[in-house]
Amino acid sequence: MSITQGKDGFTLNIRLMDNINDEEGKFKMSFSGGRLGIVEDIKSVKGLGEQGYTPLTPVTEATLYECNVSVARYPENDLRITGKIGIRIDPMMETVRIVNSEFKGPGNIELVAQKVGKDKIDFVVYSISR
């Protein structure tokens, strides 16, 4: 998720990264962020850079956003991971912080929300080897 300043506030952008498959789009994410909006079918991307971000509703006030997240393998619609993330956004201070996150899914994959740089957070699907 990155923050960019516009005349109507800051626009958050979310992205799903896939660290398991070589092919893009093998996972899809649904994101429900209350006043940030609801986005369905965000396809996973590979690699770093600025590709694959989806814009949400602009933010004008500092607050904590409690968001629901669901990720599943596509098109099989299995390997489902669900959970919540709390994101504190302060547009005036230009800060974004992950306050808490809890994701549950099958034992062989994991979803992690990670802050990248000052103003970016990516959701990343990892394989867990046991």
Side-chain angles (χ1 to χ4, degrees), residues 42-113:
I42 298 169
K43 291 184 179 179
S44 60
V45 297
K46 294 293 298 175
L48 302 174
E50 295 299 317
Q51 68 177 353
Y53 283 103
T54 300
L56 301 176
T57 303
V59 175
T60 57
E61 63 185 45
T63 193
L64 173 65
Y65 294 89
E66 293 290 339
C67 309
N68 294 310
V69 176
S70 176
V71 174
R73 183 167 56 174
Y74 178 80
E76 295 87 351
N77 200 27
D78 63 357
L79 298 180
R80 183 169 298 277
I81 302 169
T82 58
K84 296 179 184 273
I85 183 169
I87 303 170
R88 178 162 299 283
I89 302 167
D90 188 338
M92 301 306 251
M93 299 298 291
E94 298 184 0
T95 59
V96 173
R97 187 168 51 102
I98 298 172
V99 176
N100 57 46
S101 63
E102 182 180 337
F103 303 112
K104 295 180 182 176
N108 58 340
I109 63 170
E110 180 177 34
L111 180 66
V112 176

Side-chain angles (χ1 to χ4, degrees), residues 15-32:
R15 173 170 71 173
L16 178 62
M17 304 278 298
D18 182 353
N19 269 359
I20 299 174
N21 300 288
D22 291 331
E23 183 182 342
E24 292 192 352
K26 290 302 290 180
F27 284 91
K28 280 190 178 181
M29 178 171 72
S30 295
F31 179 90
S32 175

